[in-house]
């Protein structure tokens, strides 16, 4: 593939190379983004869109910019891998985030109902109690991994319990989600891709079987609530569509938030005064979460594909151009966020972040994700006001373009205050 005529090219840009995975903001700072707000990346055969205004325009025009590639494998799959997926019933547009209207609305409407601000506020006591329980289990007399202790299990417990997934199945689901991230947003080797495709087939089969089992044995959970919609009007929502909604939530509902909590703790502890300020002023915590979403978003990249020729950021794009919407760069756009590289928990417009997308696909879990991160930080700052990063650690990141947060984050605490 080659770039559209007149489009700048950054031949060395590769969001899956080690330097980028370690520190994408350092790579960003080296690129002349002001002069090349849209550029072509041969490493991916994608057009990288960096400006806030251009990305917002893309999100707000689903007719010109389709979501069909949002979770397609980033790199071309070997035919046998693609066949494995198709034979296993894994469709190329597998769930709501990659569907265009009108199919999109059929899934979004019933799913979004569960995450209105009121419903989410009702979850607060359970989220707080779960965070407290997880932190009570930590031996704070020695360094501990914040991700394993809190950031990972908190959103996982909340989401899988909410969906109605039996606890015994959580480890399997967790493993399948890892395969999903690698297959759709990473660059696996052919052997790895085949393994991940087989895992995806198991994952989809599991969710279909879960829906079938719940149909006969309802519980107080979201899968059962969706089945009630089906009972009232089978045309409104099929079992296959219910399984597809669960496919969305089982991934979007915890990997994103796990990473958000990890990014929050990392960025706050990196400069101890930031942590100290939140310890002293817990009322700032919710705003600090928004600022982290701008400063270091847990979904740094999202994708679209053009349905017709269009000019974007001064570049004439053909139909079928694949767009890499660099949300992390939009968060550092000085036209919207003055002094964008400064971290300011009291920044007046941090909430304008595009970290949750915009328009018809705007994240249905934004209120829940924010609340989980806020409560996790409230509990953590209160119990461990003298928390510090363990010196000299190399923070590992999963090799994919769209889900970014520390996979392990070692911290140590001073004397434990009573809870
Ligand atoms: C906390 C961190 C989170 C971040 C940064 C995040 C980010 C995003 C982004 C960027 C999109 C795509 C928007 C677009 O295409 O325009 C999205 C969509 C979505 N998110 Fe989230 N998300 C988070 C948490 C959650 C949670 C907790 C849930 C579960 C309740 C969730 C469920 C979804 C779903 C179902 C969609 C697809 C919506 C649609 O296609 O209509 N997300 N999210």
């Amino acid at each position: 593939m080659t770039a559209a005529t007149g489009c700048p090219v950054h031949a060395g840009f590769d969001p899956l190379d080690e330097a980028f995975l370690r520190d994408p903001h350092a790579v960003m700072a080296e690129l002349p983004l002001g002069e090349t707000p849209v550029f072509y990346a041969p490493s991916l055969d994608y057009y990288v869109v960096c400006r806030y205004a251009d990305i917002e325009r893309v999100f707000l025009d689903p007719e010109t910019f389709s979501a069909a590639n949002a979770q397609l494998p980033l790199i071309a799959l070997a035919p046998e891998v693609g066949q494995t997926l198709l034979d296993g019933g894994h469709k190329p547009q597998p769930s709501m985030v990659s569907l265009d209207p009108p199919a999109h609305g059929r899934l979004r409407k019933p799913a979004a109902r569960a995450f209105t601000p009121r419903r989410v506020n009702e979850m607060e006591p359970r989220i707080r109690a779960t965070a407290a329980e997880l932190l009570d289990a930590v031996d704070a007399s020695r360094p501990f991994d914040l991700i394993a202790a809190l950031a990972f299990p908190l959103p996982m417990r909340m989401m899988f319990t909410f969906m109605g997934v039996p606890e015994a199945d959580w480890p399997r689901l967790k493993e399948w989600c890892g395969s999903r991230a690698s297959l759709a947003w990473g660059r696996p080797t052919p052997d790895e891709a085949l393994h991940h495709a087989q895992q995806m087939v198991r994952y989809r089969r599991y969710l279909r079987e879960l829906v079938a089992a719940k149909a006969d044995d309802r519980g107080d959970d979201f899968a059962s609530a969706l089945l009630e919609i089906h009972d009232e009007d089978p045309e409104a929502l099929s079992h296959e569509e219910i399984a597809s909604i669960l496919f969305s939530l089982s991934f979007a509902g915890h990997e994103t938030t796990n990473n958000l909590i990890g990014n929050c703790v990392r960025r706050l502890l990196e400069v101890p005064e930031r942590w100290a300020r939140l310890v002293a002023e817990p009322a700032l915590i919710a705003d600090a979460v928004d600022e982290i979403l701008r400063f270091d978003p847990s979904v740094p990249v999202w994708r679209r594909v053009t349905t017709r020729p269009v000019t974007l950021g001064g570049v004439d794009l053909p139909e079928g151009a694949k767009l890499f919407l660099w949300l992390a760069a939009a968060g550092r756009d000085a036209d919207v966020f003055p002094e964008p590289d400064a971290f300011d928990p009291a920044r007046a417009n941090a909430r304008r972040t595009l970290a949750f997308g915009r328009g018809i696909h705007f994240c249905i879990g934004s209120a829940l994700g924010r609340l989980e991160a806020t409560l996790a930080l409230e509990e953590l700052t209160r119990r461990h006001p003298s928390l510090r990063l363990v010196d000299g650690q190399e923070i590992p990141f999963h090799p994919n373009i769209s889900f970014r947060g520390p996979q392990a984050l070692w911290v140590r605490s001073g004397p434990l205050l009573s809870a």
Side-chain angles (χ1 to χ4, degrees):
M1 294 285 168
T2 50
T5 315
C7 180
V9 177
H10 290 315
F13 179 86
D14 181 358
L16 287 165
D17 75 18
E18 263 185 42
F20 191 99
L21 290 172
R22 201 177 323 116
D23 190 353
H25 290 101
V27 174
M28 193 190 298
E30 293 292 313
L31 289 166
L33 296 191
E35 295 92 74
T36 58
V38 172
F39 66 87
Y40 179 75
S43 66
L44 301 171
D45 181 29
Y46 264 75
Y47 292 87
V48 181
V49 185
C50 307
R51 248 184 347 210
Y52 184 104
D54 292 331
I55 296 179
E56 187 176 43
R57 178 183 156 203
V58 168
F59 278 138
L60 292 175
D61 183 359
E63 276 181 28
T64 308
F65 303 99
S66 162
N69 66 339
Q71 46 186 344
L72 279 189
L74 184 64
I75 56 163
L77 296 180
E80 57 169 332
V81 178
Q83 202 55 50
T84 302
L85 290 170
L86 285 176
D87 290 348
H90 181 82
K91 299 193 190 89
Q93 270 86 44
S95 64
M96 130 183 36
V97 81
S98 50
L99 288 172
D100 293 321
H104 166 255
R106 279 179 61 85
L107 301 186
R108 167 131 186 151
K109 225 167 126 199
R113 256 193 243 164
F115 300 100
T116 59
R118 185 179 60 81
R119 289 278 181 89
V120 169
N121 283 338
E122 285 167 8
M123 298 182 197
E124 172 163 349
R126 271 199 32 241
I127 301 171
R128 194 184 288 283
T130 307
E133 191 187 316
L134 290 166
L135 287 173
D136 281 345
V138 166
D139 173 3
S141 67
R142 58 185 68 192
F144 61 97
D145 175 8
L146 192 276
I147 307 304
L150 179 69
F152 189 89
L154 177 65
M156 180 180 76
R157 280 198 198 185
M158 299 313 304
M159 190 47 59
F160 290 172
T161 310
F162 170 82
M163 285 168 53
V165 177
E167 192 168 343
D169 298 334
W170 294 359
R172 282 198 276 170
L173 218 50
K174 173 184 158 199
E175 206 185 304
W176 294 330
C177 287
S179 281
R180 184 169 174 184
S182 299
L183 191 67
W185 292 281
R187 191 185 282 145
T189 64
D191 281 351
E192 287 166 350
L194 185 59
H195 166 74
H196 295 318
Q198 288 159 347
Q199 293 281 73
M200 296 300 288
V201 167
R202 291 184 192 110
Y203 182 6
R204 300 299 292 236
R205 188 187 311 134
Y206 172 84
L207 291 173
R208 288 191 190 101
E209 286 171 5
L210 182 71
V211 173
K214 292 269 170 198
D216 295 333
D217 184 14
R218 305 292 163 98
D220 180 16
D221 53 52
F222 190 51
S224 302
L226 291 173
L227 280 159
E228 270 173 41
I229 299 179
H230 170 84
D231 291 348
E232 274 169 32
D233 178 6
E235 295 292 307
L237 196 63
S238 67
H239 279 201
E240 184 64 17
E241 287 174 316
I242 295 174
S244 172
I245 291 175
L246 298 181
F247 183 67
S248 296
L249 296 183
S250 60
F251 186 82
H254 73 97
E255 295 291 339
T256 52
T257 314
N258 163 25
N259 288 334
L260 172 60
I261 296 171
N263 291 340
C264 283
V265 177
R266 173 194 179 200
R267 293 308 191 178
L268 292 170
L269 290 182
E270 206 166 61
V271 180
E273 294 74 37
R274 291 179 186 160
W275 185 259
R277 184 165 177 201
L278 295 193
V279 168
E281 294 179 72
L284 271 181
I285 289 177
D287 290 340
V289 170
D290 283 326
E291 177 66 343
I292 301 280
L293 281 159
R294 177 197 73 80
F295 187 79
D296 190 8
S298 55
V299 179
V301 174
W302 209 242
R303 289 181 283 163
R304 289 290 189 266
V305 57
T306 57
T307 59
R308 62 174 177 89
V310 61
T311 305
L312 186 69
V315 172
D316 293 328
L317 298 171
E319 177 184 339
K322 296 181 286 179
L323 307 184
F324 178 106
L325 307 177
W326 200 359
L327 306 181
R332 302 291 181 106
D333 186 336
D335 286 345
V336 180
F337 305 109
E339 292 193 55
D341 296 330
F343 175 83
D344 176 7
R347 184 181 289 274
N349 68 349
R351 272 226 167 191
R352 279 190 68 192
T353 168
L354 293 175
F356 292 110
R358 183 74 95 239
I360 62 166
H361 288 280
F362 180 77
C363 175
I364 65 170
S366 65
L368 176 60
R370 278 191 173 108
L371 182 65
E372 287 180 330
T374 301
L375 298 180
L377 288 178
E378 282 181 10
E379 290 301 311
L380 200 57
T381 46
R382 196 162 63 79
R383 284 154 189 263
H384 299 290
S386 60
L387 201 68
R388 293 284 178 275
L389 288 176
V390 169
D391 290 336
Q393 62 181 309
E394 181 87 22
I395 300 175
F397 291 91
H398 189 275
N400 79 87
I401 58 164
S402 281
F403 299 93
R404 179 175 171 84
Q407 288 191 286
L409 189 70
W410 287 91
V411 294
R412 60 186 169 79
S413 183
L416 188 66
L417 293 191
S418 59

